[in-house]
Amino acid sequence: MAKKGAETCSWTLSMFMLLFLINLPALYGEELESLLPFRDSIKDPLGFLSNWSSSTSSCNWPGITCDNPPHVKRIELSGKNISGKISGSIFQLQYVEFIDLSDNQLLGEIPHNLFSCPSLLSLNLSNNNISGPLPSISISRLETLDLSNNMLSGKIPDNIGLLWSLKFLDLGGNILVGKIPNSISNLTVLQVFTLASNKLVGQIPGEIGRMKNLKWIYLGYNNLSDEIPKEIGDLTSLNHLDLVYNNLSGLIPSSLGNLTSLQYLFLYKNKLTGPIPRSLFNLKKLVSLDLSDNSLSGEIPELISELQNLEILHLFSNNLTGKIPAALASLPRLQVLQLWSNKLSGKIPEDLGRRNNLTIVDLSSNFLVGKIPKSLCNSGRLFKLILFSNSLQGEIPQSLSSCISLRRVRIQNNRLSGDLSSEFTKLPLVYFLDISGNNLSGRIDVQKWDMPSLEMLSLAKNKIFGELPGSFGSGKLQNLDLSENQFSGNIPKSFGRLSDLMLLQLSENKLSGNIPEELSSCKKLVSLDLSHNHLSGNIPISLAELPALGQLDLSANQLSGEIPPNLGRIESLGEVNISHNHFNGRLPSTGAFLAINASAVAGNDLCGGDASSGLPPCKSLKSRMWWYVMTCFLVALAMFALAALVILFIQRREELELKRVENEDGILWEMQFFDSRASKSITVDDILSSAKQENVIMRDGKERSYGGKSSMSNMQFVVKEMNDPNSIPPSFWSVIPEFGRLRHPNIIRLIGVCRSTERGFLVYGNAEGKNLSEILGNLSWERRRKIAIGIAKALHFLHGYCSPSVLVGIISPEKVLVDGKDEARLSLDLSGRLACTDNKCLQIIPSACIAPGT
Ligand SMILES: *[C@@H]1O[C@H](CO)[C@@H](O)[C@H](O)[C@H]1NC(C)=O
Ligand SMILES: *[C@@H]1O[C@H](CO)[C@@H](O)[C@H](O)[C@H]1NC(C)=O
Ligand SMILES: *[C@@H]1O[C@H](CO)[C@@H](O)[C@H](O)[C@H]1NC(C)=O
Ligand SMILES: *[C@@H]1O[C@H](CO)[C@@H](O)[C@H](O)[C@H]1NC(C)=O
Ligand SMILES: *[C@@H]1O[C@H](CO)[C@@H](O)[C@H](O)[C@H]1NC(C)=O
Ligand SMILES: *[C@@H]1O[C@H](CO)[C@@H](O)[C@H](O)[C@H]1NC(C)=O
Ligand SMILES: *[C@@H]1O[C@H](CO)[C@@H](O)[C@H](O)[C@H]1NC(C)=O
Ligand SMILES: *[C@@H]1O[C@H](CO)[C@@H](O)[C@H](O)[C@H]1NC(C)=O
Ligand SMILES: *[C@@H]1O[C@H](CO)[C@@H](O)[C@H](O)[C@H]1NC(C)=O
Ligand SMILES: *[C@@H]1O[C@H](CO)[C@@H](O)[C@H](O)[C@H]1NC(C)=O
Ligand SMILES: *[C@@H]1O[C@H](CO)[C@@H](O)[C@H](O)[C@H]1NC(C)=O
Ligand SMILES: *[C@@H]1O[C@H](CO)[C@@H](O)[C@H](O)[C@H]1NC(C)=O
């Protein structure tokens, strides 16, 4: 008994000493009480907090740092994939100075007692999903507050000035509204000030001029309006000023010239007017100056020579006039020069590039004359050279032929002349080369073409003659336009090896011989234009094997024979023109030949077709022997066939036109399909029954896409319900069929629209697969790569080859479907908000979409 008592006693004693040693009263008492509720409110799938147990000292817990005497000083749980709400208890810790919970999935509101945490110096909650308003503010020692990239809403509290110790404030990437409060100017020790990407309106307060320690101002991507306050010029420590994507108007204040420490000045995408103030050229430390997308006028002064540190100069999309200053050529660090879409005239400075470090030069869409300077590529780094739509003359300088860094060259629509030199056709990295609409002459079949990266080549509208080269040294060519030249000879059979080719335009040349059968190996061909040449022979039957062919123009040649009926069975074929040849026999009456325009078949010896073809009916059998015997039978048969044809024709016409259907609830629906299979098999009821919560396969903001299946044919489709279809301007509905013609293996194809007065749906085909956002987490590198390439191809097609570019909006994994073979398909945002602005819809005409744009 006594023994037992002694044991208990010594145990208690040692326990007491232990408690004493590690100062447990403080920890076990208050700090544990603050940390455990925090732990309990957090979900922790990776188990990082599993060792936060009350049996060990919290100073040994992962993510916790204590000082001596042991008090919790720092809590670092960034990027631990924790979720759930933040318990206010952690702001009761009396000694904590540093809390970093960034890069997690925390949600809910910020605890209201944040600013009463007595010792807190730094709080980082960025990159979570925290919502609600900012907590009410009281005086605090806080020096760093990073709440960026959450879902915080409401206004910035008027008394934010009470956080007078702040050196770093980032509230960017939230949904804050209202004005920037004047009291912000009481944050006089603030160095970094970011409110970018919110929904703030009103003026930038002039009081900002009192915040003398500011180094960074980043207020871009809001709706701030009025003038830029001249007081910003008082912030002489400023290094970085970014006010982009706002609604700022008026002049650029000349006081900005006082910001002698400034390295980055970004004012693009505003409504600024007037000249570039001369004082800006005092900013000798400027590295990057971007005033693009405003309405600035006047000249670019030669004073620009003062900016000896300048690397990037973006003044594009303004109203600037006068010459490009020769002084630009003296800026030793200049890498990127983009002055496109202004009214600049005169010559490009002759020695531009000689002493610069150029990588990108874009002077397109101005009124420039004279020659392309020889020295542009002296840096050896020039990869983008864009000079289209000017009046440049002379030859392409020899020096560019040795500019092996070049990747993208767009010098179309000028007056360039001379030959393509034999070095120019060996540039190894060029993937996009457009020299169309110039005055090039000479041959291109005598030099060797070795451009392994080439995807797009246009030499259209020049005076090039001789034969077509058999190869361009690239297996990646997607887009080849050699139309409107003086090429002669045959179309090389070797073009059949261009397995990525989507567009081939050889029209308006002097090509002769047959259409090579090998072209049918170009399985991705979407558009084939051989019109206005001297081609002869038959149409190869194998052309009907092209699975994606959408447009076929063989007009104005000397082709003969019959039209292969299979041509009328290419599902994708939308437009065909065979006019002005020597074709005879019967016109197919299916597919693209249905309701064909008379001008697309005229000038042949054809018969048949429907009324719109304007062709005479075909003569019936000629056999005299059987004439009498067969007459009755034939008449009957003919009538029967005619009736069948008429029915078929009416059906087909109806299918592709607008259908009006009343469903069971008596609601009138308008449906229009751009795909004959869909037209036959998808009904309003199919669409309505797919539009249910359980069928959601994609989400994009408030919009939902659903997977559906035709009840008649099991054809799968995807429907996207449009928000508020009544607010969509009527012109949208007339443009939308054009999207139906956009075809690319990596784009989800629009196959129809369906709407009533209340609801509207877009119907898509080839949309099988999983949403990328769902599978993104566990993809191997290889699969990611394949998917990324697919998306890139789609974008490349939409942006690079469409004129105007088709707007895709912001690309997010939610907009991408991935099929079983990891082929990615991009969904276009046709919801009406992006494609249509100011009650007008962009006239996006897909036929212009595969021609090289300007
Ligand atoms: C938790 O503690 C155990 C045993 O001390 C240790 O092996 C483990 O690594 C700890 N876990 C974390 C996440 O620190
Ligand atoms: C993070 O948590 C989310 C769910 O909250 C889970 O889907 C994801 O796989 C987790 N990431 C890691 C790396 O564990
Ligand atoms: C906050 O955390 C994010 C993500 O971990 C980090 O990028 C950022 O620099 C941090 N903010 C500050 C002020 O340290
Ligand atoms: C973020 O929170 C909002 C509600 O505030 C919720 O609708 C949304 O799904 C959350 N997003 C993520 C990625 O958790
Ligand atoms: C700035 O703080 C002072 C007191 O420190 C206060 O009187 C003044 O009203 C504040 N300024 C603004 C604009 O809130
Ligand atoms: C700015 O305001 C306009 C008109 O109210 C609105 O359409 C636009 O989305 C706003 N932009 C931002 C970034 O909030
Ligand atoms: C943009 O600024 C103009 C005046 O410059 C103003 O009339 C308009 O309301 C502002 N738009 C927004 C969305 O703030
Ligand atoms: C600031 O700029 C304005 C206008 O350019 C000028 O009048 C003023 O003297 C400058 N102040 C300083 C301190 O340089
Ligand atoms: C550009 O300047 C011209 C006069 O030089 C003027 O008529 C036109 O409105 C200006 N355009 C813009 C967008 O400021
Ligand atoms: C030229 O640009 C490259 C980066 O493209 C850079 O590394 C190099 O230092 C620059 N040279 C000069 C003289 O600025
Ligand atoms: C095009 O080049 C020819 C000589 O090849 C020349 O006679 C003609 O004037 C040039 N045309 C233009 C518009 O420069
Ligand atoms: C077909 O081609 C001819 C000659 O190129 C042209 O005049 C006619 O307008 C074209 N028809 C259609 C419907 O494109």
Side-chain angles (χ1 to χ4, degrees), residues 483-554:
S483 59
E484 296 185 56
N485 279 288
Q486 285 149 28
F487 289 111
S488 55
N490 294 345
I491 300 174
K493 292 188 166 61
S494 51
F495 280 11
R497 288 203 288 270
L498 297 171
S499 57
D500 279 342
L501 200 63
M502 297 195 289
L503 173 137
L504 178 60
Q505 257 163 327
L506 302 175
S507 61
E508 298 193 47
N509 281 293
K510 297 176 184 160
L511 298 169
S512 54
N514 294 345
I515 300 174
E517 190 135 348
E518 286 77 2
L519 283 187
S520 56
S521 309
C522 304
K523 292 291 182 221
K524 294 190 182 159
L525 210 53
V526 173
S527 176
L528 177 61
D529 186 353
L530 307 177
S531 66
H532 296 273
N533 278 292
H534 307 314
L535 299 170
S536 54
N538 295 344
I539 300 180
I541 296 174
S542 57
L543 276 195
E545 287 159 19
L546 289 171
L549 193 65
Q551 285 160 308
L552 176 65
D553 193 345
L554 304 176

Side-chain angles (χ1 to χ4, degrees), residues 105 107 129 131 151:
Q105 277 119 44
L107 38 80
N129 194 15
S131 52
M151 300 280 279

Side-chain angles (χ1 to χ4, degrees), residues 700-817:
D700 181 12
K702 276 197 266 170
E703 273 147 26
R704 299 276 178 276
S705 298
Y706 309 92
K709 205 184 235 186
S710 154
S711 49
M712 271 189 261
S713 73
N714 278 347
M715 178 180 183
Q716 293 196 2
F717 58 87
V718 168
V719 296
K720 179 159 178 179
E721 173 142 26
M722 308 170 80
N723 284 315
D724 196 8
N726 289 322
S727 69
I728 294 168
S731 54
F732 176 71
W733 297 105
S734 57
V735 178
I736 196 92
E738 304 289 350
F739 283 98
R741 293 158 59 193
L742 265 185
R743 277 168 207 183
H744 187 279
N746 297 107
I747 292 173
I748 295 176
R749 212 184 125 203
L750 182 72
I751 55 176
V753 292
C754 172
R755 60 171 169 153
S756 70
T757 51
E758 304 293 323
R759 300 175 80 180
F761 297 96
L762 298 171
V763 186
Y764 297 89
N766 73 336
E768 67 274 13
K770 294 212 172 87
N771 196 308
L772 178 57
S773 61
E774 284 164 21
I775 58 171
L776 196 58
N778 39 25
L779 282 179
S780 69
W781 174 245
E782 264 315 302
R783 297 182 64 195
R784 272 171 199 258
R785 197 177 112 90
K786 177 146 192 220
I787 292 166
I789 289 175
I791 300 171
K793 280 186 181 161
L795 291 180
H796 196 55
F797 173 71
L798 294 170
H799 287 175
Y801 299 148
C802 293
S803 169
S805 290
V806 174
L807 295 171
V808 183
I810 296 161
I811 299 289
S812 64
E814 282 80 17
K815 290 189 183 169
V816 176
L817 289 185

Side-chain angles (χ1 to χ4, degrees), residues 540-796:
I541 296 174
S542 57
L543 276 195
E545 287 159 19
L546 289 171
L549 193 65
Q551 285 160 308
L552 176 65
D553 193 345
L554 304 176
S555 65
N557 277 291
Q558 266 125 53
L559 298 164
S560 55
E562 300 200 351
I563 311 295
N566 281 351
L567 230 39
R569 298 195 192 116
I570 309 183
E571 284 238 5
S572 54
L573 194 59
E575 276 173 40
V576 60
N577 194 338
I578 50 169
S579 65
H580 304 287
N581 279 289
H582 308 307
F583 293 118
N584 56 42
R586 182 180 289 274
L587 189 74
S589 49
T590 53
F593 295 94
L594 244 178
I596 195 166
N597 190 308
S599 73
V601 293
N604 287 293
D605 193 14
L606 292 163
C607 65
D610 50 51
S612 64
S613 73
L615 296 176
C618 292
K619 293 192 191 101
S620 49
L621 279 175
K622 283 175 193 159
S623 169
R624 270 180 245 147
M625 289 277 285
W626 292 3
W627 199 85
Y628 281 105
V629 188
M630 294 293 281
T631 298
C632 283
F633 180 64
L634 277 181
V635 166
L637 194 72
M639 285 180 67
F640 201 69
L642 198 71
L645 252 178
V646 165
I647 290 167
L648 190 74
F649 169 63
I650 290 171
Q651 274 181 353
R652 287 303 288 253
R653 285 297 287 263
E654 267 183 357
E655 279 162 18
L656 299 170
E657 282 170 9
L658 210 59
K659 272 198 268 196
R660 288 200 170 74
V661 217
E662 204 176 308
N663 81 344
E664 282 173 8
D665 309 331
I667 299 170
L668 196 63
W669 288 87
E670 279 183 4
M671 299 175 80
Q672 190 177 13
F673 285 97
F674 321 121
D675 176 283
S676 55
R677 189 160 159 243
S679 171
K680 269 180 261 168
S681 49
I682 302 176
T683 64
V684 170
D685 287 332
D686 290 339
I687 290 173
L688 290 177
S689 58
S690 65
K692 289 194 188 106
Q693 198 56 36
E694 65 259 31
N695 297 335
V696 171
I697 58 169
M698 275 201 254
R699 269 171 234 271
D700 181 12
K702 276 197 266 170
E703 273 147 26
R704 299 276 178 276
S705 298
Y706 309 92
K709 205 184 235 186
S710 154
S711 49
M712 271 189 261
S713 73
N714 278 347
M715 178 180 183
Q716 293 196 2
F717 58 87
V718 168
V719 296
K720 179 159 178 179
E721 173 142 26
M722 308 170 80
N723 284 315
D724 196 8
N726 289 322
S727 69
I728 294 168
S731 54
F732 176 71
W733 297 105
S734 57
V735 178
I736 196 92
E738 304 289 350
F739 283 98
R741 293 158 59 193
L742 265 185
R743 277 168 207 183
H744 187 279
N746 297 107
I747 292 173
I748 295 176
R749 212 184 125 203
L750 182 72
I751 55 176
V753 292
C754 172
R755 60 171 169 153
S756 70
T757 51
E758 304 293 323
R759 300 175 80 180
F761 297 96
L762 298 171
V763 186
Y764 297 89
N766 73 336
E768 67 274 13
K770 294 212 172 87
N771 196 308
L772 178 57
S773 61
E774 284 164 21
I775 58 171
L776 196 58
N778 39 25
L779 282 179
S780 69
W781 174 245
E782 264 315 302
R783 297 182 64 195
R784 272 171 199 258
R785 197 177 112 90
K786 177 146 192 220
I787 292 166
I789 289 175
I791 300 171
K793 280 186 181 161
L795 291 180
H796 196 55

Side-chain angles (χ1 to χ4, degrees), residues 115-127:
F115 294 111
S116 51
C117 190
S119 309
L120 193 61
L121 296 177
S122 171
L123 175 65
N124 192 344
L125 300 179
S126 70
N127 300 317

